[in-house]
Amino acid sequence: MAFTKTFKSFLINLGIMAGPSLKISDFAGFRKVLDSATKIAVLTGAGVSAESGIGTFRGPAGMWRTHNAMDLATLKAFEANPSLVWEFYEWRRSMAFNARPNKAHLALVEFENKCIKENRVFTLMTQNVDGLHIRAGSKNVFEIHGSLRKVKCTKCKLVYENTDVPICEALRGRGDPEKATTSDIPISDLPKCKNCSGLLRPDIVWFGEILDDNVLSKCVKALEACELFLVVGTSAIVYPAAGFAPFVQDRGVPVAEFNTDPISAVNFVFRGPCGTTLPEALGIDKE
Ligand SMILES: NC(=O)c1ccc[n+]([C@@H]2O[C@H](COP(=O)([O-])OP(=O)(O)OC[C@H]3O[C@@H](n4cnc5c(N)ncnc54)[C@H](O)[C@@H]3O)[C@@H](O)[C@H]2O)c1
Ligand SMILES: *[C@@H]1O[C@H](CO)[C@@H](O)[C@H](O)[C@H]1NC(C)=O
Ligand SMILES: [Zn+2]
């Protein structure tokens, strides 16, 4: 039984049929919509950094020692054992700071620069905490889950940038995921606030915590105004980001998903590594 290409795309876009190859992705159709949109919003997740060597939280890469990474990214885990959670973050910080932006990050930068020249509005929202979008050169970017590049004092609440590795002497060489050692660094040796010497924590919005009001309202503004929405490398399970695409679709605005394993029923689906699909879709074809 032979489906025509468009009927196949229709089924894939409905989420009824899986697209077996990139060829099915409608790059030409997408480019028409992209070229006529004056306000473009993009949401990225862990998948955009996968090709930079930073693991996502789903699957085997989501384990650190014997712990599910998502169980460590909570206030409860930090309060129960700040030493263990700081080891986990020491490891994540060194991974993120040593990683380099990939073609997907760079395509978003080039596309934003093009938008600026053409007086179009480009907004990037990321769930990633690795700082790679900012290091790549993205300008209008909101890190809705915070950043590994910042710390927050548990006492005076001061937030500031700190990219030291190790972040303190006691954490030197710690955090190796292969070493299942117990973690018992005393609080007095863990990272301390430069203002009040209180215990620092990573400036990350942990699971169960609320997002920064200011950041969220800027995202909502972008979602309310955009004429095209791109969802890149996110499983879109974690709220509120999971609600972004449905919110935009409700206004009849087209949504495009870029994922190795797309799940949503949206207008455009580009299956494959976003380091390949995104530059092509955005017309950034340079090597
Ligand atoms: N790099 C990071 O900063 C990082 C890494 C892991 C987890 N997290 C946090 O964990 C939460 C997890 O949610 P999430 O949706 O961002 O990640 P996720 O791990 O739930 O999902 C990642 C998605 O990316 C897709 N993917 C994997 N490789 C890809 C590639 N090369 N190209 C395109 N897609 C690819 C997967 O199919 C999956 O749908 C977020 O809140 C985030 O803050 C952040
Ligand atoms: C620094 O700490 C003091 C308490 O020691 C606090 O009153 C003050 O608000 C803090 N400063 C900043 C900038 O957060
Ligand atoms: Zn402090």
Side-chain angles (χ1 to χ4, degrees):
M1 167 166 59
F3 289 130
T4 63
K5 187 184 164 190
T6 40
F7 185 56
K8 224 168 175 178
S9 319
F10 172 73
L11 291 177
I12 291 161
N13 291 347
L14 281 177
I16 292 167
M17 187 175 162
S21 82
L22 266 176
K23 286 192 193 80
I24 282 148
S25 305
D26 183 9
F27 284 103
F30 175 77
R31 281 292 287 282
K32 262 191 210 148
V33 177
L34 182 72
D35 289 346
S36 65
T38 61
K39 297 183 184 79
I40 299 116
V42 182
L43 170 70
T44 65
V48 84
S49 294
E51 290 160 78
S52 293
I54 300 177
T56 63
F57 270 9
R58 321 270 155 201
M63 291 298 287
W64 182 82
R65 297 185 183 165
T66 58
H67 306 271
N68 186 323
M70 279 186 277
D71 295 336
L72 292 173
T74 64
L75 182 61
K76 206 172 151 221
F78 184 71
E79 284 173 348
N81 191 345
S83 170
L84 180 76
V85 173
W86 261 119
E87 277 206 63
F88 173 59
Y89 277 96
E90 176 66 20
W91 174 69
R92 290 193 68 194
R93 284 164 56 96
S94 72
M95 291 270 290
F97 303 165
N98 286 317
R100 286 183 22 217
N102 64 52
K103 284 181 186 168
H105 297 108
L106 298 174
L108 289 167
V109 174
E110 279 202 42
F111 185 73
E112 179 176 21
N113 289 338
K114 186 169 180 274
C115 285
I116 293 169
K117 270 194 214 122
E118 294 169 355
N119 259 316
R120 300 199 278 164
V121 181
F122 176 90
T123 308
L124 177 56
M125 297 163 263
T126 186
Q127 299 173 91
N128 293 346
V129 295
D130 54 40
L132 285 175
H133 284 305
I134 287 173
R135 281 174 52 207
S138 284
K139 295 176 189 80
N140 194 29
V141 41
F142 298 106
E143 295 175 302
I144 64 177
H145 290 166
S147 174
L148 292 169
R149 297 167 56 83
K150 291 182 191 162
V151 289
K152 179 160 81 185
C153 178
T154 58
K155 210 166 142 201
C156 76
K157 311 297 173 202
L158 179 66
V159 172
Y160 58 97
E161 189 159 288
N162 178 324
T163 55
D164 299 344
V165 175
I167 189 169
C168 65
E169 266 317 300
L171 283 164
R172 184 180 292 279
R174 303 289 286 258
D176 187 331
E178 302 304 323
K179 282 189 197 143
T181 51
T182 52
S183 191
D184 51 8
I185 302 167
I187 286 182
S188 56
D189 290 346
L190 289 175
K192 280 194 225 30
C193 176
K194 66 176 183 186
N195 175 50
C196 77
S197 300
L199 175 65
L200 288 176
R201 56 168 278 181
D203 185 33
I204 303 284
V205 181
W206 279 329
F207 290 102
E209 293 187 317
I210 52 163
L211 270 67
D212 185 291
D213 249 5
N214 190 33
V215 171
L216 191 57
S217 64
K218 280 176 180 150
C219 291
V220 170
K221 262 200 193 121
L223 293 168
E224 283 170 348
C226 72
E227 294 155 13
L228 174 64
F229 185 48
L230 278 58
V231 180
V232 186
T234 170
S235 59
I237 291 170
V238 181
Y239 273 87
F244 288 3
F247 177 72
V248 166
Q249 277 179 303
D250 217 45
R251 283 198 296 121
V253 167
V255 175
E257 185 183 14
F258 298 78
N259 203 304
T260 44
D261 194 11
I263 46 162
S264 45
V266 296
N267 308 70
F268 298 97
V269 177
F270 299 100
R271 175 186 292 270
C274 58
T276 305
T277 56
L278 199 57
E280 184 172 354
L282 295 177
I284 315 290
D285 300 307
K286 278 180 282 175
E287 271 306 297

